[in-house]
Amino acid sequence: MSFAEEDPQIASIMWVGYPGEAGGKALGEIIFGEYNPGGRLPMTWYPESFTNISMADMRMRADPSRGYPGRTHRFYTGKTIYKFGHGLSYSSYKYKLLSAPQKLQLLEFIESGPSQNMIYQTGDGIAYILVNELSSCDSLTFYVKLSVINTGAMDGSHVVMLFGRASNVIKGAPEKQLVGFNRVQTEAYRSTVTTVMVDPCKHLSFANEKGERVLPLGEYILMVGDLEHSLLIDF
């Protein structure tokens, strides 16, 4: 597939999997502009050179010292042909943030009460807490409210994908990870409102080398398309 990326005569590729008996009709409707596609890749499309990586090596995290680039959109650091979540449409879309918190205070949710002993540090000096020491993860849940604007001339469905990453570089943490997604039906030149739920204990934490789920303190970036929002998680 690497050849297609640099070929000016290939404007798009349709990956249809197993389309079934109605697949031919569906493809025709897309090719001739009767239907506005809105699919997204459920995987990272690696370059041909990725075949040099042993199929028996299923480590997720990258290891630069051994030239290992990692796997999946969460940890892969190499070149991609098409990224996880990539997709084409006859419409283009813009996003506008309507509401989202700028800061989360964790002090009241610590299991053992307010204590600096609940704050740990990585070898790089980055502070974090253990998720299992929070008294209520549900209480930390919040929603990101977005306006999705269809700037094209066709109605269509669109998958809104919200990603998150920590601003600090933390050993073992994902490069970014999918927080949540919604498929919305949009009208040409109109906006649609949607919300995505964020559970910091699930969506912003990660498992360390001991298998403990940790939630680093500090700034996080929530991303949808080119839109970014800063969220501070503090003790």
Side-chain angles (χ1 to χ4, degrees), residues 46 50 59-63 68-72 75-78:
Y46 304 106
F50 192 77
R59 291 174 298 161
M60 293 292 105
R61 291 168 172 81
D63 184 355
Y68 182 69
R71 291 181 183 271
T72 79
F75 298 106
Y76 181 68
T77 58

Side-chain angles (χ1 to χ4, degrees), residues 118-122 126-130 208 212 214-217:
M118 299 296 104
I119 299 179
Y120 305 88
Q121 284 194 339
T122 66
I126 297 173
Y128 68 90
I129 62 170
L130 297 177
N208 63 13
E212 301 167 323
V214 303
L215 180 63
L217 303 181

Side-chain angles (χ1 to χ4, degrees), residues 162-177:
L162 181 68
F163 292 89
R165 64 173 174 83
S167 290
N168 293 322
V169 178
I170 305 170
K171 182 180 179 182
E175 298 291 314
K176 67 175 182 179
Q177 52 189 344

Side-chain angles (χ1 to χ4, degrees), residues 143-203:
Y143 290 86
V144 175
K145 188 175 183 180
L146 297 159
S147 174
V148 184
I149 306 160
N150 182 343
T151 61
M154 290 185 69
D155 297 349
S157 67
H158 178 65
V159 180
V160 179
M161 304 177 73
L162 181 68
F163 292 89
R165 64 173 174 83
S167 290
N168 293 322
V169 178
I170 305 170
K171 182 180 179 182
E175 298 291 314
K176 67 175 182 179
Q177 52 189 344
L178 181 65
V179 170
F181 63 93
N182 282 332
R183 179 177 288 278
V184 296
Q185 298 296 324
T186 67
E187 297 180 15
Y189 305 117
R190 301 288 296 272
S191 63
T192 303
V193 175
T194 188
T195 58
V196 180
M197 185 189 76
V198 182
D199 181 345
C201 292
K202 293 180 180 178
H203 302 140

Side-chain angles (χ1 to χ4, degrees), residues 131-150:
V131 169
N132 63 5
E133 293 184 353
L134 291 171
S135 60
S136 176
C137 282
D138 291 340
S139 300
L140 289 173
T141 298
F142 63 89
Y143 290 86
V144 175
K145 188 175 183 180
L146 297 159
S147 174
V148 184
I149 306 160
N150 182 343

